[in-house]
Amino acid sequence: MEAQYRRRGGRAGAPSANGRREESCFNQPDTINGRAEKIMEMKWMLCVTLLALGALAAQGHDVGDDDGDDVIDIEDDLDDGVEDVEDSSPESSAPPPAPKVTYRAPVPTGEVYFVESFDKGTLDGWILSKAKKDDTDDEIAKYDGKWEVQDMKDTKLPGDKGLVLVTRAKHHAISSKLSKPFVFDTKPLIIQYEVNFQNGIECGGAYVKLLSKTPELNLDQFHDKTPYTIMFGPDKCGEDYKLHFIFRHKNPKTGKYEEKHAKRPDADLKTYFTDKKTHLYTLGKGELYFRVVLVLNPDNSFEILVDQMVVNSGNLLNDMSPPVNPPREIEDPNDQKPEDWDERPKIPDPDAVKPDDWDEDAPAKIADENAVKPEGWLDDEPEYVADPDAEKPEDCFSISILQDEDMDGEWEAPQIANPKCESAPGCGTWQRPMIDNPNYKGKWKPPMIDNVNYQGIWKPRKIPNPDFFEDLEPFKMTPFSAVGLELWSMTSDIFFDNFIICTERAVADDWANDGWGLKKAADGAAEPGVVGQMMAAAEERPWLWVVYILIVAFPVFLVVLFCCSGKKQPSAAEYKKTDAPQPDVVSDEREEEEDKGDKEEEEEANEEKLEEKQKNDADIGSASQEEEEEEEEEEDRKRASEAYSRVQGLDRTVSHILTVITVCIPIGMGEVVG
């Protein structure tokens, strides 16, 4: 250590030649070590933060599970539909079993025009059609498809029954009367029911028809031509997924009815057809949320909901095809375009002349005259030769009808690439390659110029529409008195349940909560764990794998990087700037240690001589020492500044990492919960 001090011009803290004690940065607190300690503190802070984020994520999963339990508790409060299973052994450490959801038939809470839950287990009140379809083969014209009341397959709610379309590839028709006809006046209309495609759906529908109130209505002969007021529900054929809303509008001038179709929804409907879950379909007409205005003057708006989420909405006057009201003017069918009407915006220049040097017969490609046949080209060898190893099958003509070699031809060995051409640049007759003809111009055409006689695209004149009418209240449709299902399906076991037709949104919501809500609660109680939900979500949205990697792999990598990395040993330069004792460095080779010891002895001898010389030249030595100290102090300040910059960079990196993790974890959790 004394040798180190002598090399630096004196003992640390000893008076200098000019009588003042050295107060360089080497006697101040260790700057670099302080920065290193700060870096380690930041590493541990990051580790603690990552652990806290992991705990929050786990707590988020637990909250999600608790939410599912809350749903069941709500159902328990509303209709006593949930019963907690008591633990048979309270002292046991085993986890409590999942809550059991029991079924209780829903009961309407207000005025309804039609309600059916099928919990009686019979088709009482429903009429099977005995009709036949017109213009159809007798074998399939009958409505002989079977309907039964059954429990849903793989049900989580025993006792909940529904109407099941049992057979496939047959016509099905069944209907039931309303308690009283529905008349469109000042109240909205709400139609709601549940559908479950238990076997998926290939091609078929699950829509309902509200049958118009007419003297001719005979439910025993319900068929595809039976007049209806509204048709509503899902339908699928091929990859075309539809959610119908069709109503029949009566022309006030002619008295004829015309179907009006709602615009296609923007939402992707494929999931509702393929996930084999029970879905709640709701159609609302009039202003469902503003009852005060609705009572006075319905505004013709409509909404279509699936699982209590709006998937389509609009207005009967603006969002139907064809429109309810015809245009005021139409094109005159008797108007004809004049013979001299010029619709050409551009015409060939009549004054243009083909240039004399324009050769229309020049070919587009010519042989390259500069090409030279490669050396070693085998002109006499064909590219393909008969396979010498091929043999004629003995039963070559045994499968021939004629079994006549004159008719079928002689057997020929299959062709293979000529093995002699593999080592040669080519075989066969060599031909010059073709290149673009620089003199090719093609067929000459005169340039196009603006047509001075251009009159635009001709259109027939407009005339008043003789069939025009204006119906500002299409909501006031034909009253209906029955509900029916008239379906053809290539898939069996379509499950229908919990039909309701009413005018109050609260009544429909209560009915949905007591029926569909209970099914959802039962499914939620049987849902897979967090890992299963995450995997299912990633199957539907593959980009979630990136979020999972960020949430799991990236924090693990950071923990290993920042928490498990060892503290860097201070370098010799750091010991040089401080008075801390330097540990002995054990070399791998003994010769280096011996050489180092010899060098240290030589350095000590040289330093002693240098000390004697400095005593003789005290004044000169003092000035030189001060300059050296100033240079060393300036060097230390630079090193400290660089170390501080590195710490700031690490601080920014840690902040960015924490920001990424803080953002990614809620996004990933939100997608899984959604």
Side-chain angles (χ1 to χ4, degrees):
M1 295 296 297
E2 291 299 328
Q4 293 180 15
Y5 299 146
R6 285 195 296 270
R7 284 196 295 271
R8 293 177 52 189
R11 190 169 62 254
S16 61
N18 57 5
R20 63 183 180 91
R21 183 175 297 274
E22 294 181 1
E23 294 181 355
S24 66
C25 62
F26 304 107
N27 294 317
Q28 297 175 1
D30 188 356
T31 304
I32 302 302
N33 286 345
R35 300 302 180 190
E37 292 176 0
K38 183 177 180 181
I39 292 174
M40 291 302 298
E41 290 177 2
M42 294 178 67
K43 291 181 180 179
W44 285 110
M45 288 176 61
L46 179 59
C47 293
V48 173
T49 304
L50 292 174
L51 293 175
L53 288 175
L56 289 175
Q59 185 178 3
H61 292 306
D62 295 338
V63 170
D65 296 338
D66 293 341
D67 291 342
D69 296 339
D70 292 342
V71 173
I72 297 174
D73 292 338
I74 291 173
E75 297 298 335
D76 183 53
D77 295 338
L78 290 176
D79 47 37
D80 299 330
V82 178
E83 297 178 355
D84 294 335
V85 177
E86 297 182 356
D87 193 353
S88 58
S89 57
E91 298 179 357
S92 174
S93 61
K100 180 182 179 181
V101 183
T102 57
Y103 178 71
R104 183 177 180 180
V107 178
T109 58
E111 182 183 8
V112 296
Y113 288 79
F114 180 80
V115 66
E116 180 61 83
S117 63
F118 301 101
D119 292 321
K120 294 178 294 184
T122 65
L123 289 175
D124 291 346
W126 290 83
I127 300 175
L128 295 172
S129 176
K130 300 177 183 178
K132 291 184 178 182
K133 291 195 70 171
D134 297 335
D135 304 326
T136 307
D137 295 339
D138 292 338
E139 296 180 358
I140 61 173
K142 294 181 180 180
Y143 283 92
D144 55 355
K146 292 184 180 180
W147 298 90
E148 293 182 5
V149 175
Q150 302 176 355
D151 286 343
M152 188 168 56
K153 292 181 178 180
D154 301 325
T155 182
K156 308 297 188 302
L157 203 60
D160 182 16
K161 299 182 182 298
L163 179 64
V164 179
L165 183 150
V166 178
T167 50
R168 62 183 298 274
K170 287 183 177 292
H171 293 290
H172 305 74
I174 191 171
S175 57
S176 181
K177 283 278 189 179
L178 273 61
S179 59
K180 59 181 177 179
F182 186 94
V183 179
F184 295 88
D185 45 24
T186 59
K187 294 183 179 181
L189 166 67
I190 301 175
I191 313 165
Q192 181 174 285
Y193 68 102
E194 301 170 15
V195 173
N196 187 311
F197 298 102
Q198 300 182 98
N199 298 333
I201 183 70
E202 296 177 7
C203 183
Y207 44 80
V208 299
K209 290 183 177 181
L210 305 183
L211 305 181
S212 302
K213 179 186 177 184
T214 62
E216 298 80 14
L217 180 60
N218 181 6
L219 299 185
D220 189 63
Q221 295 297 316
F222 173 37
H223 56 91
D224 59 325
K225 300 294 175 50
T226 301
Y228 68 88
T229 300
I230 291 175
M231 190 178 92
F232 165 67
D235 189 14
K236 187 252 184 182
C237 193
E239 290 300 316
D240 189 11
Y241 300 88
K242 297 178 181 179
L243 187 54
H244 291 297
F245 167 40
I246 306 171
F247 77 94
R248 296 172 72 244
H249 180 260
K250 184 177 181 180
N251 188 315
K253 296 190 71 173
T254 64
K256 295 182 179 180
Y257 286 88
E258 185 179 17
E259 290 184 350
K260 308 295 181 182
H261 296 248
K263 65 180 182 180
R264 292 181 69 93
D266 297 330
D268 183 11
L269 303 176
K270 183 175 181 179
T271 302
Y272 300 116
F273 289 83
T274 58
D275 62 3
K276 299 184 181 181
K277 293 183 179 180
T278 303
H279 293 289
L280 182 73
Y281 293 91
T282 306
L283 170 64
K285 292 186 59 57
E287 197 62 57
L288 299 180
Y289 296 97
F290 301 96
R291 290 186 176 87
V292 175
V293 177
L294 174 62
V295 172
L296 298 176
N297 185 21
D299 64 354
N300 303 309
S301 64
F302 70 87
E303 286 183 330
I304 299 176
L305 300 91
V306 177
D307 296 351
Q308 298 180 325
M309 294 181 60
V310 177
V311 297
N312 197 3
S313 62
N315 191 283
L316 299 178
L317 290 172
N318 305 322
D319 300 301
M320 308 302 292
S321 177
V324 171
N325 296 316
R328 292 180 179 273
E329 293 184 334
I330 61 172
E331 295 180 349
D332 186 359
N334 299 320
D335 192 15
Q336 296 182 354
K337 183 175 71 173
E339 295 181 358
D340 59 347
W341 189 277
D342 197 341
E343 295 181 335
R344 301 174 300 168
K346 297 281 187 179
I347 60 173
D349 185 0
D351 299 328
V353 180
K354 183 177 72 172
D356 295 336
D357 59 347
W358 192 286
D359 186 4
E360 294 183 345
D361 299 328
K365 296 283 187 178
I366 60 174
D368 185 4
E369 298 297 335
N370 298 325
V372 179
K373 183 172 68 173
E375 295 183 3
W377 188 279
L378 304 178
D379 296 272
D380 300 331
E381 290 290 339
E383 294 184 22
Y384 295 93
V385 296
D387 186 359
D389 298 329
E391 296 180 0
K392 176 181 176 181
E394 295 180 0
D395 58 345
C396 178
F397 296 99
S398 60
I399 62 173
S400 173
I401 297 177
L402 300 178
Q403 295 188 359
D404 188 349
E405 189 169 353
D406 294 335
M407 295 292 294
D408 297 331
E410 296 182 1
W411 178 84
E412 294 181 357
Q415 298 287 304
I416 62 172
N418 192 341
K420 296 181 180 180
C421 300
E422 294 179 358
S423 59
C427 293
T429 304
W430 180 80
Q431 296 180 350
R432 297 180 183 275
M434 303 298 287
I435 61 174
D436 293 334
N437 185 1
N439 298 322
Y440 172 74
K441 297 182 179 180
K443 185 175 180 59
W444 181 84
K445 295 180 181 179
M448 303 297 288
I449 61 174
D450 292 334
N451 184 5
V452 296
N453 298 320
Y454 175 66
Q455 296 175 272
I457 303 299
W458 181 85
K459 294 181 180 179
R461 63 175 177 267
K462 295 284 188 177
I463 61 173
N465 185 0
D467 299 326
F468 173 75
F469 64 84
E470 189 173 31
D471 181 4
L472 299 180
E473 295 180 325
F475 170 75
K476 295 184 177 180
M477 306 175 190
T478 304
F480 61 91
S481 59
V483 58
L485 297 167
E486 188 267 318
L487 306 170
W488 165 274
S489 178
M490 294 301 296
T491 305
S492 61
D493 297 329
I494 302 176
F495 183 91
F496 298 87
D497 199 7
N498 293 334
F499 289 87
I500 186 172
I501 299 175
C502 60
T503 60
E504 297 180 19
R505 182 63 180 269
V507 175
D509 288 345
D510 291 342
W511 180 263
N513 291 333
D514 294 346
W516 174 78
L518 200 59
K519 288 185 178 73
K520 188 176 180 181
D523 291 339
E527 281 290 330
V530 174
V531 175
Q533 294 180 14
M534 293 175 65
M535 299 296 288
E539 288 180 1
E540 296 181 2
R541 293 177 286 273
W543 60 268
L544 280 177
W545 289 113
V546 179
V547 178
Y548 296 164
I549 292 174
L550 289 175
I551 294 174
V552 179
F554 194 54
V556 170
F557 170 75
L558 292 177
V559 168
V560 174
L561 178 64
F562 289 97
C563 297
C564 301
S565 59
K567 183 176 178 181
K568 184 179 178 181
Q569 295 294 336
S571 62
E574 293 175 353
Y575 282 104
K576 182 178 180 181
K577 292 186 291 182
T578 64
D579 293 335
Q582 182 178 6
D584 295 334
V585 179
V586 180
S587 174
D588 294 338
E589 298 181 1
R590 182 175 297 178
E591 294 179 359
E592 291 182 359
E593 293 181 355
E594 295 177 356
D595 293 342
K596 185 176 180 181
D598 296 340
K599 289 181 180 179
E600 286 180 355
E601 292 178 358
E602 292 178 1
E603 287 178 358
E604 289 179 359
N606 293 334
E607 286 171 0
E608 290 177 357
K609 293 179 181 179
L610 182 60
E611 250 184 10
E612 293 177 359
K613 184 177 181 181
Q614 285 178 348
K615 290 180 181 179
N616 296 332
D617 302 330
D619 294 336
I620 298 175
S622 297
S624 301
Q625 186 175 356
E626 289 180 0
E627 292 177 0
E628 183 180 352
E629 290 174 357
E630 290 177 359
E631 291 176 358
E632 290 180 355
E633 288 178 358
E634 183 66 24
E635 252 181 55
D636 291 336
R637 280 194 294 270
K638 289 181 180 179
R639 293 192 187 98
S641 177
E642 292 175 358
Y644 182 70
S645 298
R646 288 194 297 270
V647 171
Q648 283 186 324
L650 179 60
D651 191 14
R652 287 192 296 270
T653 302
V654 171
S655 300
H656 293 162
I657 293 170
L658 293 177
T659 301
V660 170
I661 296 175
T662 306
V663 171
C664 289
I665 287 179
I667 292 176
M669 292 300 301
E671 288 293 337
V672 171
V673 173

